[in-house]
Amino acid sequence: MAASPSGNAKNRELSLPTSRIRTIMKSSPNVENIGQDSLLLVTKATELFIQHLSRQALKQVEGKAEHIDYKHLAEVVQTNKKLDFLKGKYLC
Amino acid sequence: MADDEDLTLPRASINKMIKEILPNIRVANESRELILNCCTEFIHLISSEANDICNQQSKKTINAEHVLQALDRLGFGDYRADAEAVLKDCKAVAAKRRMQSTRLENLGIPEEELLRQQQELFAKAREEQAAAEQQQWAQLQAAAQLMSSMQQQHASEEGDEEDYS
């Protein structure tokens, strides 16, 4: 299987378990019925999110450190406007 | 039963994905844990937004369009293309499976005709099997004959060997 994350075949398979994602979605207040299509979209979006966070974290350490620490991710959240929703949840 | 907070994605899946993006970098456990929790928050974020959109449209079930709009609204519009591609692919796979399972029913051939075709196929298979067996038998006979003639030749040669002991 191709190691490149941007390869076409790899992009079209899902790595995360949709059943677990459905459970998490349903634990959101007020969410009731979730169509199968939406579930697939949210699953893929979450995968892209993980990739996004990882790549951003890599940028934080490039040329500076050999490993990614908690603080690098904290910095990613601080500097990315669309990650504002994460502030105050798990980060000081 | 797990609390809401404990409801996270499997660590193994997350670790695998991180490894694919960052194969040569060590990622501290706390960082992985953080990414794990951020995912849960992300899912809640998208779900809530999609749910709001769904309600605004007076629909009962969150559909694909609601999710896509939610992504746009929350600044994750760049995820649209890949997400839609996956959806398209999954639908294609599912449709193909459905088509394969109902193909016989949809052919429009009446049952008696199907039965007749089946009998024909069986008869043909029996013929082919018989022909194959006959050929095999002929080959065995030929091989047996060859063996026995070789043995005879060997036996006549044996007589000469005794002079060499």
Side-chain angles (χ1 to χ4, degrees):
Chain A
M1 224 193 250
S4 159
S6 56
N8 263 339
K10 196 101 185 98
N11 261 351
R12 294 204 212 106
E13 293 165 9
L14 290 174
S15 310
L16 296 175
T18 51
S19 48
R20 185 73 66 90
I21 292 191
R22 172 184 266 124
T23 312
I24 298 175
M25 284 177 81
K26 290 200 118 163
S27 71
S28 266
N30 301 325
V31 169
E32 287 187 12
N33 299 316
I34 304 165
Q36 182 66 10
D37 288 358
S38 359
L39 182 56
L40 292 173
L41 287 176
V42 173
T43 304
K44 184 63 186 177
T46 309
E47 292 182 8
L48 293 167
F49 184 68
I50 294 171
Q51 291 168 0
H52 176 78
L53 281 182
S54 305
R55 287 199 193 104
Q56 291 299 312
L58 181 63
K59 282 191 183 156
Q60 291 292 325
V61 304
E62 251 163 7
K64 289 182 225 161
E66 292 297 306
H67 51 271
I68 291 181
D69 280 336
Y70 187 94
K71 65 174 187 249
H72 299 123
L73 279 158
E75 189 60 26
V76 169
V77 171
Q78 285 302 321
T79 53
N80 248 276
K81 191 135 181 32
K82 55 189 199 187
L83 301 181
D84 278 355
F85 72 96
L86 292 170
K87 285 185 186 160
K89 296 270 179 172
Y90 299 99
L91 305 141
C92 324
Chain B
M1 260 305 184
D3 281 339
D4 272 356
E5 283 107 313
D6 288 352
L7 201 52
T8 56
L9 295 168
R11 280 177 180 74
S13 308
I14 305 277
N15 286 339
K16 185 171 167 221
M17 290 189 70
I18 296 177
K19 187 89 184 148
E20 279 166 3
I21 307 270
L22 313 168
N24 301 317
I25 275 219
R26 191 160 41 98
V27 180
N29 273 340
E30 294 156 327
S31 313
R32 296 173 192 275
E33 195 68 20
L34 181 57
I35 292 181
L36 194 69
N37 291 321
C38 288
C39 282
T40 305
E41 283 311 312
F42 178 76
I43 294 171
H44 283 311
L45 181 76
I46 305 291
S47 307
S48 299
E49 187 71 19
N51 193 51
D52 284 347
I53 297 172
C54 176
N55 288 336
Q56 281 165 26
Q57 294 184 8
S58 307
K59 297 267 165 65
K60 284 192 167 169
T61 304
I62 299 178
N63 67 25
E65 199 46 46
H66 302 147
V67 173
L68 291 171
Q69 280 182 37
L71 286 174
D72 283 338
R73 286 196 195 179
L74 295 163
F76 294 100
D78 50 337
Y79 290 4
R80 243 197 194 243
D82 285 338
E84 281 182 292
V86 164
L87 190 57
K88 216 169 165 185
D89 226 55
C90 287
K91 278 184 164 172
V93 169
K96 193 173 176 189
R97 248 188 246 130
R98 271 199 305 274
M99 210 171 65
Q100 281 172 346
S101 71
T102 60
R103 204 165 47 181
L104 212 49
E105 292 149 38
N106 284 344
L107 273 180
I109 299 181
E111 196 171 311
E112 315 92 65
E113 175 60 19
L114 281 174
L115 259 167
R116 191 193 67 76
Q117 285 184 8
Q118 188 183 43
Q119 295 306 322
E120 235 177 58
L121 285 168
F122 280 155
K124 189 164 172 214
R126 276 195 292 272
E127 268 174 43
E128 285 173 5
Q129 175 73 356
E133 276 171 10
Q134 204 172 34
Q135 191 184 38
Q136 217 177 30
W137 173 240
Q139 280 175 350
L140 267 172
Q141 280 208 307
Q145 274 188 353
L146 185 62
M147 279 247 306
S148 84
S149 70
M150 274 174 69
Q151 273 171 349
Q152 279 176 0
Q153 195 180 27
H154 187 66
S156 63
E157 280 171 7
E158 281 241 298
D160 298 332
E161 276 172 28
E162 272 168 10
D163 294 332
Y164 292 25
S165 52

